[in-house]
Amino acid sequence: MPKKVDVVLVALTSPIKIGIYEENRLIESIESIEKSSDILPQLYKEILERYEIEKLFYANGPGSFMAIKVAYIFLKSLSVLKKIPLFATDAFYFNANVPIKAIGKLHFVKIASEIKTQKLEIAPDVTFSLPDVLDYNEFSTTSTPLYMISAVGQ
């Protein structure tokens, strides 16, 4: 009988990161520098062969518009087909609240619970990481992407 796990996807930048969590503790992590549209089906097929997925989680933005769209469509399809609930949180949960590049010198920042854009002269180095312990309270069943396009134009 396969282990029951939750799977977390952070596909905002390369490398893509996938965390396998058992009882909200990270038991395995997978990284790939392949395009998410090419590699996600293969990686999740392997995960589904080894585990029973109870919940799906992902970072729904802000970040690369295309990466967010691919991740959402893939996970939403998997969620519907396999009847696995899908949850999301913003990318700041996975990078210790470091500003995320938008366009030019504009960066997304999270102040309190609001995401805005700010002009930054020096771009911080953004690294996303999987937490050792997953905090379910940080995630929502509202899993639609945070495209944040209107914020970029401000």
Side-chain angles (χ1 to χ4, degrees):
M1 186 144 161
K3 278 186 185 179
K4 293 182 177 187
V5 297
D6 297 328
V7 181
V8 175
L9 172 63
V10 181
L12 301 165
T13 59
S14 187
I16 293 166
K17 296 179 186 247
I18 297 176
I20 312 291
Y21 289 81
E22 184 178 27
E23 296 179 8
N24 80 330
R25 298 207 175 277
L26 184 65
I27 59 168
E28 182 182 345
S29 59
I30 301 163
E31 284 192 11
S32 176
I33 58 168
E34 305 283 329
K35 286 184 181 176
S36 57
S37 56
D38 294 337
I39 199 67
L40 287 179
Q42 181 183 331
L43 293 175
Y44 275 80
K45 179 180 183 284
E46 292 168 10
I47 293 166
L48 285 162
E49 288 170 354
R50 295 174 34 226
Y51 299 106
E52 181 183 332
I53 301 175
E54 291 193 304
K55 295 183 213 69
L56 295 165
F57 297 86
Y58 87 114
N60 64 341
S64 162
F65 179 78
M66 189 54 71
I68 295 165
K69 189 181 230 174
V70 167
Y72 175 71
I73 291 169
F74 177 81
L75 291 176
K76 185 65 176 179
S77 299
L78 186 62
S79 169
V80 170
L81 291 169
K82 298 282 188 182
K83 296 179 176 56
I84 303 169
L86 176 60
F87 300 88
T89 193
D90 65 63
F92 296 102
Y93 177 74
F94 299 100
N95 80 347
N97 207 26
V98 173
I100 299 168
K101 184 157 179 57
I103 190 168
K105 292 186 178 185
L106 285 179
H107 287 73
F108 296 109
V109 294
K110 187 173 181 180
I111 301 165
S113 62
E114 192 176 351
I115 298 172
K116 299 179 174 189
T117 53
Q118 248 182 24
K119 194 178 228 179
L120 300 177
E121 293 302 320
I122 299 170
D125 189 26
V126 178
T127 305
F128 294 100
S129 60
L130 297 164
D132 291 331
V133 177
L134 201 56
D135 182 354
Y136 295 115
N137 295 322
E138 293 293 324
F139 292 84
S140 167
T141 55
T142 303
S143 60
T144 52
L146 297 175
Y147 291 130
M148 309 296 293
I149 295 300
S150 61
V152 173
Q154 293 177 346

